[in-house]
Amino acid sequence: MKNDIPLNPQALDLDEPAGGLASYPPADRWNDWVEYDATQWPKKVEKHYSLIPTICFNCEAACGLLAYVDKDKPHVHKFEGNPAHPGSRGRNCAKGPATINQVNDPERILYPLRRAGKRGEGKWERVSWDEVLDDLAGRIRQALQEGRKNEIMYHVGRPGHELIYNQRVLHAWGIDGHNSHTNVCSAGARTGYAFWHGFDRPSPDHANARFILLLSSHLEAGHYFNPHAQRIIDGKMAGAKVCVIDTRLSNTATKADYWLSTWPGSEAALLLAMCNVLLQENLFDREFVRQWVNWEEFLREEHPEKAQTFDSFLEILSQIYAIYTPEFAARESGADPAVIVEVAREVGRAGSALSTHVWRNAAAGNLGGWQVARALEFLAVLAGAVGTRGGTSPSSGNKFIPAPPMMPPAPHAWNEMMWAREYPLAFFEMSFLLPHFLKENRGRLAMYFTRVYNPVWTNPDGLSWIEALTDETKVQRHACFSPTWSETAWYADYVLPMGHASERHDLMSQETQAARWIGFRQPVLRLALERQGKRFNSTYEAHREAGLGEVWEEDEFWLELSWRIDPDGSMGIRRYFESPYRPGEKLRIEEYYRWIFENSVPGLPAAAAAEGLEPLAYMQKYGAFLIEDDVYEAHKKSLKPEELQGSAVDPVTRVIHKNGTPVGVEIAGRSVVGFPTPSRKLEFYSKTLKDWRWPEYSIPGYVKSHVHRDNIDAARGEMLLLPTFRLPTLIHTRSGNAKWLYEISHKNPIWMHNEDVERIGLETGDLVRVQTAIGYFVDRVWVTESIRPGVVACSHHLGRWRLKEDFGGERWSTALVDLKQVEPGKWMMRQIHGIRPFPSGDPDSSRIHWEDAGVHQNLTFPVQPDPISGQHCWHQKVTVTKARPEDRYGDVFVDTNAAHAEYRRWLQMTRGAPGPGNLRRPLWMIRVYRPAPESFYLPE
């Protein structure tokens, strides 16, 4: 309105710019972008910036950032969104701009450090990168020459482009040495999806959906949540309805058309009831199911006496799932049966424009959680919404992994310290069991690397990790790649400062929408200095020039380490780290990416040439490239004549084989690629599960969780603890050095329903003791109707701690604690004080006004590995009582002997290898850092 007065009245004197306001700086002005210095108002003092794109690293979505680098000095002024990024489209959540806090963190580690006392004692000395490299290279070389390949392990939490860079490193060394965090994260969902279509990730097309079905809080904290949240809103604005299945009333649930608050673990029953409605009311896509589901194999294997027809299959299908009535699902879940039917009919009406997603949530919390993802995909299959516009595609069509130069062959190796025989179908490495494997003397580690991984804090049973990491007979040398102190770095031998999001190279591509794109993370200060004509042999030299200590990057570290392991090339390692442009000479990092951009990214060379740029220069300028948009129905892609040459078609299954390997399937007379399953179709029926001694789960079903109502004795005060939900402003272990984020979020109270509070006699703010199978923690209560009675919830993002007053943990986010082993295997942690102001080069550190650091609940959780997926089942059966007089806020007690006993109890549930043909794992299943085929077989 004309009478409105702007916050700054002088704005009334400004002329409206020609063409209106711009949302972002135009790319043609990124090299010299001018803004007025806000600190000089009302003077108009110009500041000149070079805008350099990179990729955010504060969650897995890989959104684009623009670094505003001061042209007068090598310093990043701020980070904003990159409008050229196809996934995030210039929009970021709070975590993206907070990258500036991490870059300018006064407590970050700037130089390599080596332990100078006992592990965990807190004594450190500065060393050179040469000293680090020589020590580690010597140890690795000796282990390789002595045939101790399985004693070298690289353990990563949040990967960058491991599959194209680090895989080449470990395979060049000839080892099966990659360990990950997947089985404390997404193994359950991956398993459920993979048994359907071979791929282990979904890619929903929310923007074009008519109905969006979510199992989690995707608008604020789900997987890829910023790009997904944007497209959920796009879809909703276009008329789509949203249903959220989540025990908590999350922010996403408040915006949904339907919210189903289920008892944790009952979600598969609910989803199968919806499938039953579709079947009974004929609301499914009959033709899609007939063409693309392996119903013939199901009838041949399980019902050979029946007519081998599609109608016969549908009759059997309806009979099988008739038990999953809305009333049955309501009894299991607590949801309204009428709403279950209404949502099922919405799914039927949406048809092929049904987008769905589950990643952690129920799939990660429960025994049998992988069947939740399998049931959800069953619903999408019945709706005919696989690979369609507005539907949900397998991830492969929307995620792009470029081929690098000089990829070494797969190694002849199999590391049972990660790929244990007991878990042949796991997705993927059984990483969180490592302390127990070491305790059982299954092996030892001569060299252990951790990168963006903090198992002491993130994993369940963290005190068993401390016991393992402090035992030098089990872990001989531990190098932790980290720009900051962490609970795990404290127990390392080396802490090696690797760069934040804007301080290193790698490539990212995620299945954020119905498109394929690639993003380029790059060290912005190095690029800014090189644009000024300076040249560097390494990124840490550029950072030293910019006043950033000797912060390095992993790409160059691995390259240099590999040369030092094999200095003369006699071990056959060095050749994989030689330049493709200068034979025999050491690879430079810019050459590596130059080669990829010139040879492995379709369309990029032409797009670059159109602007008069080389492909590398194009990616350095824009930071991202859209390879293909509107990617749908990849499974219908026809096989090329050269792919069919020399192939044969199985007369029964119509699977097309070439050189003994399935390459496609005949559908309606066409030779198409299909899905990477044994049948090349969507597998309602998994013969793999039957062959590997799990016949009861050969089709989608409902597994009663370890925290099913039947296992919770309310009369004894037992409850279900839901510890898996995120906070929108934090991300696991990586945001502790972001002051803006911790100012917003620094508490993780126990969510408790009014009925439970009244029963126990509590109020908001009261202390409670939460008892698990191996210990307890003490936290405050938050009374809310946003959780089901009988269920309590606590976010896993908080509870950071340190052991020394002045260092060893980010003081923005950690409490100072006293940690003692009071008896063998029995540990007690008590907070000495919470977060306090502290002196530093950042004046904000003296202005800290919050004290709470949260409570570290994960320490008190035993490992609970699902016997099929390998997923740690996060939900806990607990008792919640008023705190005792001796209890203090943040107290943690753990018995690691009880923890090992729980590990042994869950281990008894497994049905291990060998499988058919003496296999360790089915050959068709995904296996990261895949070794040679011969390695899949157990020795006779």
Side-chain angles (χ1 to χ4, degrees):
M1 296 175 64
K2 292 183 178 180
N3 293 330
D4 286 347
I5 303 298
L7 291 175
N8 192 321
Q10 294 188 38
L12 292 171
D13 299 327
L14 298 175
D15 295 327
E16 183 177 340
L21 294 173
S23 299
Y24 303 97
D28 59 1
R29 295 169 60 188
W30 285 3
N31 196 46
D32 186 22
W33 177 249
V34 181
E35 291 185 351
Y36 292 132
D37 187 344
T39 64
Q40 300 295 316
W41 181 268
K43 297 177 183 178
K44 294 183 178 180
V45 179
E46 288 188 351
K47 295 285 290 184
H48 290 254
Y49 299 102
S50 179
L51 273 53
I52 301 177
T54 189
I55 301 293
C56 184
F57 196 62
N58 280 334
C59 86
E60 61 275 19
C63 296
L65 293 176
L66 280 181
Y68 285 60
V69 182
D70 194 323
K71 299 196 78 168
D72 295 331
K73 57 182 178 179
H75 172 75
V76 180
H77 174 63
K78 64 179 176 180
F79 291 93
E80 292 189 350
N82 178 6
H85 190 288
S88 55
R89 305 184 291 192
R91 311 169 199 172
N92 296 95
C93 73
K95 298 192 287 293
T99 301
I100 194 66
N101 296 162
Q102 299 167 315
V103 168
N104 294 331
D105 172 24
E107 298 198 293
R108 66 179 300 181
I109 299 168
L110 296 176
Y111 298 93
L113 298 175
R114 180 172 59 200
R115 172 172 61 90
K118 295 180 180 179
R119 283 192 190 156
E121 190 177 1
K123 295 181 179 179
W124 301 88
E125 61 184 358
R126 178 177 162 183
V127 292
S128 70
W129 279 112
D130 281 332
E131 290 176 277
V132 173
L133 289 162
D134 287 342
D135 180 21
L136 303 188
R139 290 173 178 276
I140 294 169
R141 184 190 312 114
Q142 183 177 358
L144 295 177
Q145 291 174 337
E146 294 177 358
R148 295 182 284 114
K149 292 182 177 181
N150 286 349
E151 292 186 13
I152 305 167
M153 185 180 293
Y154 167 71
H155 207 157
V156 62
R158 172 53 50 203
H161 61 164
E162 261 69 10
L163 286 177
I164 65 167
Y165 196 90
N166 185 259
Q167 179 173 319
R168 68 185 287 106
V169 174
L170 301 188
H171 282 192
W173 297 356
I175 69 172
D176 183 26
H178 175 269
N179 210 344
S180 74
H181 80 299
T182 304
N183 280 45
V184 297
C185 174
S186 55
R190 290 174 186 266
T191 303
Y193 284 116
F195 278 124
W196 265 109
H197 48 56
F199 300 106
D200 65 338
R201 289 173 177 246
S203 181
D205 185 21
H206 294 313
N208 297 300
R210 289 191 289 270
F211 195 75
I212 300 171
L213 179 56
L214 306 172
L215 275 74
S216 192
S217 49
H218 287 69
L219 283 179
E220 78 253 27
H223 203 57
Y224 307 149
F225 84 91
N226 170 39
H228 274 188
Q230 292 182 35
R231 289 163 177 87
I232 291 168
I233 296 302
D234 289 346
K236 194 166 174 60
M237 290 176 68
K241 290 186 177 180
V242 176
C243 175
V244 171
I245 301 174
D246 194 344
T247 306
R248 299 180 309 116
L249 181 63
S250 64
N251 292 336
T252 305
T254 67
K255 304 299 182 185
D257 298 279
Y258 301 94
W259 172 46
L260 295 170
S261 175
T262 50
W263 183 268
S266 66
E267 293 83 0
L270 184 88
L271 294 165
L272 293 174
M274 293 180 185
C275 292
N276 184 31
V277 172
L278 296 191
L279 291 168
Q280 299 301 329
E281 298 187 8
N282 197 29
L283 297 175
F284 64 98
D285 189 331
R286 181 186 178 97
E287 186 58 18
F288 180 84
V289 174
R290 186 188 69 79
Q291 282 198 344
W292 285 104
V293 171
N294 69 332
W295 58 268
E296 297 106 325
E297 183 179 18
F298 171 67
L299 290 179
R300 285 195 307 270
E301 292 288 329
E302 299 298 324
H303 298 279
E305 77 289 354
K306 299 282 187 177
Q308 303 293 290
T309 65
F310 185 59
D311 285 339
S312 177
F313 168 70
L314 291 181
E315 182 181 349
I316 295 169
L317 194 65
S318 295
Q319 291 171 356
I320 290 172
Y321 291 99
I323 61 171
Y324 294 104
T325 63
E327 291 72 24
F328 169 79
R331 288 194 298 273
E332 290 295 296
S333 69
D336 186 335
V339 177
I340 295 173
V341 173
E342 188 175 344
V343 171
R345 289 171 178 164
E346 291 280 9
V347 167
R349 284 190 287 271
S352 62
L354 166 72
S355 68
T356 63
H357 199 269
V358 64
W359 196 236
R360 297 180 184 94
N361 191 269
N366 299 285
L367 177 67
W370 59 278
Q371 284 279 38
V372 176
R374 204 172 177 208
L376 182 63
E377 186 67 7
F378 189 17
L379 199 62
V381 169
L382 289 175
V386 179
T388 54
R389 182 176 179 83
T392 304
S393 297
S395 59
S396 62
N398 304 146
K399 185 181 177 77
F400 181 75
I401 301 176
M406 307 169 294
M407 199 66 178
H412 292 268
W414 190 282
N415 195 332
E416 292 191 357
M417 289 282 281
M418 300 176 297
W419 298 90
R421 296 189 189 191
E422 293 93 335
Y423 299 93
L425 306 179
F427 276 73
F428 293 115
E429 306 94 340
M430 298 304 299
S431 62
F432 63 100
L433 300 186
L434 181 61
H436 297 282
F437 290 167
L438 290 169
K439 191 169 188 173
E440 293 177 331
N441 294 313
R442 296 193 185 199
R444 65 177 184 178
L445 297 177
M447 187 67 239
Y448 182 54
F449 295 98
T450 51
R451 172 185 180 265
V452 198
Y453 193 50
N454 187 5
V456 170
W457 182 78
T458 304
N459 281 9
D461 191 18
L463 288 161
S464 289
W465 279 89
I466 290 178
E467 291 179 353
L469 292 175
T470 52
D471 186 341
E472 295 187 45
T473 67
K474 307 289 189 187
V475 181
Q476 295 177 350
R477 184 65 93 232
H478 174 196
C480 178
F481 297 144
S482 178
T484 60
W485 286 106
S486 72
E487 291 82 351
T488 299
W490 191 255
Y491 296 98
D493 299 304
Y494 288 103
V495 182
L496 306 179
M498 298 297 172
H500 286 297
S502 60
E503 299 165 351
R504 66 177 193 270
H505 292 91
D506 66 36
L507 297 177
M508 293 300 301
S509 179
Q510 303 290 25
E511 59 280 7
T512 54
Q513 75 247 44
R516 293 194 302 159
W517 56 264
I518 192 165
F520 188 32
R521 184 176 283 123
Q522 53 185 338
V524 300
L525 293 178
R526 177 176 182 174
L527 188 59
L529 289 168
E530 288 178 340
R531 286 177 177 175
Q532 296 174 8
K534 298 180 180 180
R535 290 292 175 264
F536 305 98
N537 292 319
S538 70
T539 295
Y540 84 76
E541 293 175 356
H543 286 157
R544 186 166 55 197
E545 173 84 8
L548 201 58
E550 292 184 353
V551 173
W552 209 359
E553 61 167 305
E554 291 92 334
D555 281 8
E556 290 181 340
F557 174 86
W558 291 122
L559 192 161
E560 184 62 35
L561 180 62
S562 297
W563 267 70
R564 297 200 187 198
I565 292 170
D566 185 19
D568 60 4
S570 61
M571 298 175 69
I573 294 173
R574 201 185 84 172
R575 58 181 169 156
Y576 296 109
F577 302 91
E578 294 176 353
S579 169
Y581 303 99
R582 300 173 294 111
E585 297 188 47
K586 188 182 296 184
L587 176 68
R588 297 187 187 127
I589 202 64
E590 67 271 14
E591 293 177 323
Y592 180 78
Y593 291 100
R594 172 189 164 190
W595 192 96
I596 289 174
F597 296 148
E598 289 177 348
N599 297 279
S600 297
V601 183
L604 176 57
E611 296 199 18
L613 297 171
E614 295 297 319
L616 175 61
Y618 181 98
M619 292 300 290
Q620 288 174 329
K621 177 179 179 179
Y622 292 104
F625 180 67
L626 179 63
I627 298 165
E628 185 179 6
D629 206 357
D630 295 327
V631 180
Y632 301 108
E633 297 185 327
H635 56 284
K636 292 185 177 181
K637 180 182 177 183
S638 296
L639 291 170
K640 298 176 182 178
E642 58 269 26
E643 293 172 316
L644 288 169
Q645 187 174 3
S647 66
V649 180
D650 187 293
V652 176
T653 66
R654 312 310 298 170
V655 173
I656 303 168
H657 292 82
K658 186 174 182 178
N659 299 324
T661 302
V663 295
V665 65
E666 281 193 356
I667 298 289
R670 291 181 58 230
S671 298
V672 297
V673 66
F675 299 91
T677 59
S679 66
R680 305 300 290 191
K681 292 185 176 182
L682 294 163
E683 296 210 341
F684 163 77
Y685 172 72
S686 173
K687 192 169 186 298
T688 298
L689 281 164
K690 181 180 179 180
D691 289 346
W692 288 75
R693 298 188 299 282
W694 295 99
E696 66 270 41
Y697 300 139
S698 61
I699 64 173
Y702 170 44
V703 179
K704 287 189 174 182
S705 173
H706 64 298
V707 287
H708 186 271
R709 291 177 192 269
D710 292 349
N711 300 326
I712 304 290
D713 188 347
R716 296 183 56 220
E718 292 178 350
M719 302 181 75
L720 187 160
L721 171 62
L722 188 158
T724 52
F725 69 94
R726 290 180 171 184
L727 298 178
T729 48
L730 302 180
I731 181 66
H732 304 309
T733 191
R734 297 198 297 287
S735 49
N737 55 349
K739 60 185 180 183
W740 295 343
L741 302 180
Y742 258 81
E743 183 175 24
I744 297 169
S745 305
H746 45 264
K747 300 178 181 178
N748 61 340
I750 300 293
W751 292 34
M752 188 176 291
H753 192 272
N754 305 54
E755 293 180 12
D756 295 314
V757 166
E758 292 173 7
R759 172 175 54 83
I760 302 173
L762 297 167
E763 297 178 351
T764 291
D766 285 353
L767 290 180
V768 290
R769 177 185 281 208
V770 181
Q771 183 84 38
T772 70
I774 65 169
Y776 66 82
F777 65 94
V778 179
D779 200 350
R780 295 189 180 96
V781 168
W782 180 57
V783 183
T784 177
E785 293 183 340
S786 299
I787 195 78
R788 295 192 67 85
V791 179
V792 292
C794 184
S795 175
H796 62 76
H797 273 315
L798 289 133
R800 303 298 302 275
W801 48 270
R802 67 185 190 279
L803 295 172
K804 295 285 187 180
E805 181 68 66
D806 296 329
F807 77 107
E810 289 289 331
R811 284 180 283 178
W812 306 102
S813 57
T814 59
L816 180 67
V817 304
D818 178 46
L819 177 63
K820 293 179 179 177
Q821 189 168 191
V822 293
E823 294 179 31
K826 294 184 178 180
W827 294 78
M828 183 72 196
M829 177 186 287
R830 172 155 286 181
Q831 292 191 7
I832 299 172
H833 64 72
I835 300 169
R836 291 178 174 176
F838 63 93
S840 78
D842 184 342
D844 281 347
S845 70
S846 64
R847 303 178 182 126
I848 290 175
H849 58 84
W850 62 95
E851 182 178 0
D852 205 335
V855 179
H856 190 187
Q857 59 176 334
N858 291 12
L859 286 175
T860 69
F861 299 165
V863 296
Q864 298 178 158
D866 182 274
I868 293 178
S869 70
Q871 170 75 53
H872 170 62
C873 305
W874 279 100
H875 294 343
Q876 304 287 319
K877 180 170 73 172
V878 299
T879 55
V880 181
T881 58
K882 288 183 177 181
R884 299 178 185 178
E886 67 271 21
D887 290 339
R888 299 292 181 269
Y889 176 72
D891 279 0
V892 173
F893 172 80
V894 174
D895 183 341
T896 56
N897 294 318
H900 191 67
E902 281 294 298
Y903 152 76
R904 296 296 305 174
R905 185 173 73 85
W906 280 73
L907 193 66
Q908 299 308 309
M909 303 180 192
T910 62
R911 303 173 192 176
N918 210 37
L919 280 167
R920 300 176 183 270
R921 180 178 180 82
L923 285 167
W924 71 270
M925 290 182 76
I926 297 171
R927 162 69 156 84
V928 292
Y929 288 48
R930 193 176 184 89
E934 297 80 4
S935 302
F936 278 71
Y937 295 88
L938 283 164
E940 296 291 344

